[in-house]
Amino acid sequence: TVLAIAWGTLSIVMLLSFGEGLKRAFHKSKRGLGENIAILWPGATTKAFAGLPSGRSISFRDEDAGLLKERIPEIGALSREYAKRIGVTYGKKTVNARVRGVDPSFGEIRHVFAQNGGRFVDEIDLTEKRRVVVLGDELATDLFGPSEPLGHSVQINQSTFLVIGVMQPKTMMGMYSGPDKNQASIPASTFKAMFTHAKVQNLVYRPVSPAAADQAKAEVYRILGAKYRFDPDDTRAISIWDTREDQRIVDNIGIGI
């Protein structure tokens, strides 16, 4: 009887430990993308509105980020994201990587944190259009091998960029346009200066709190709907990936386990 009780207790403890460990692994992987964030992509209207037909394409502009940040108090942080796949060169080694132009808040929103000794893009970099770059950890390894990348220069679009940071390794359960470890981040103003015809590919924001997320989303549709003249209920005009929904699924899986 004592052996049966001990074995039963041990089995339950092991199973609960396994379940709790798996749940924590899910949460850690999910936080790799960022916590309680939303990603916006421009789309096309599916409803006629104010005398305008459906099927009109929507494109984000530079000033949209400032407009949303100014008009929606429920948004705590917001960043533009330009992107282009291009060769990043160090010495004789070239890697075809996704280079993204972002605002300083992007690192915090998307959990792109620099390793010790480095940093992410800041406001001075943005204002002065500095040619600085933060490399994903795997991209840095592909380019530099075991050598230290910080303080060295790489070539992007035939321009010299100083490596100011290398991303801390992280796991990602959700992602778009590939994992962060293979991407490079530069100031949005620098990206725009290099590629003058580039358009904002997407916007990323984090509400001030999870409770304010629904209101923030509704305000995004209302404000951009008024600017680009589409029905605020037309969710195809602008696609919003609300990562809270994925978080709820992960939480339910953890509870089930």
Side-chain angles (χ1 to χ4, degrees):
T1 301
V2 171
L3 180 62
I5 294 173
W7 175 250
T9 303
L10 178 63
S11 299
I12 291 174
V13 170
M14 291 178 64
L15 288 172
L16 288 176
S17 299
F18 172 77
E20 181 65 20
L22 192 58
K23 183 174 72 172
R24 292 186 182 185
F26 280 155
H27 283 296
K28 182 179 180 180
S29 299
K30 192 60 192 171
R31 287 196 299 268
L33 180 66
E35 294 186 83
N36 301 315
I37 68 172
I39 302 98
L40 285 64
W41 288 277
T45 60
T46 58
K47 299 179 180 179
F49 182 75
L52 297 172
S54 62
R56 292 181 296 115
S57 296
I58 305 297
S59 297
F60 290 147
R61 298 176 182 174
D62 286 328
E63 64 270 18
D64 289 342
L67 175 66
L68 295 178
K69 190 71 173 63
E70 179 183 352
R71 300 278 298 276
I72 307 177
E74 290 82 7
I75 291 181
L78 187 147
S79 172
R80 298 165 292 174
E81 185 173 357
Y82 299 93
K84 186 178 182 67
R85 186 161 290 276
I86 194 170
V88 180
T89 303
Y90 175 70
K92 297 182 179 179
K93 185 69 175 290
T94 298
V95 177
N96 188 32
R98 183 175 184 262
V99 177
R100 55 195 179 194
V102 297
D103 294 307
S105 57
F106 183 87
E108 182 183 357
I109 296 172
R110 289 274 282 96
H111 287 184
V112 180
F113 301 121
Q115 298 179 20
N116 291 337
R119 65 174 178 85
F120 196 70
V121 173
D122 63 19
E123 290 292 343
I124 298 178
D125 298 328
L126 192 71
T127 302
E128 299 184 356
K129 300 179 181 179
R130 290 178 174 175
R131 297 186 183 276
V132 293
V133 61
V134 179
L135 301 175
D137 53 301
E138 188 169 293
L139 176 59
T141 301
D142 290 342
L143 288 170
F144 291 88
S147 302
E148 174 59 56
L150 290 179
H152 291 275
S153 297
V154 297
Q155 297 291 317
I156 301 176
N157 196 40
Q158 299 180 344
S159 297
T160 301
F161 280 74
L162 177 68
V163 179
I164 59 171
V166 176
M167 188 188 77
Q168 295 179 10
K170 64 177 181 178
T171 56
M172 298 178 64
M173 180 178 294
M175 65 186 72
Y176 59 93
S177 301
D180 292 334
K181 63 183 179 181
N182 296 322
Q183 302 189 43
S185 302
I186 66 175
S189 56
T190 307
F191 190 101
K192 187 65 175 176
M194 293 173 60
F195 308 103
T196 54
H197 298 294
K199 295 183 178 180
V200 177
Q201 181 167 333
N202 59 273
L203 299 170
V204 185
Y205 75 84
R206 186 185 62 203
V208 292
S209 68
D214 289 334
Q215 181 63 26
K217 185 192 295 187
E219 287 296 299
V220 166
Y221 279 113
R222 184 183 68 82
I223 291 172
L224 292 183
K227 178 180 179 180
Y228 293 110
R229 303 183 69 185
F230 65 82
D231 190 332
D233 294 328
D234 189 354
T235 56
R236 294 292 185 89
I238 295 176
S239 299
I240 299 181
W241 177 15
D242 187 349
T243 61
R244 292 178 307 144
E245 300 173 3
D246 295 337
Q247 187 62 53
R248 283 193 287 267
I249 294 175
V250 171
D251 290 340
N252 290 335
I253 292 175
I255 293 172
I257 292 175

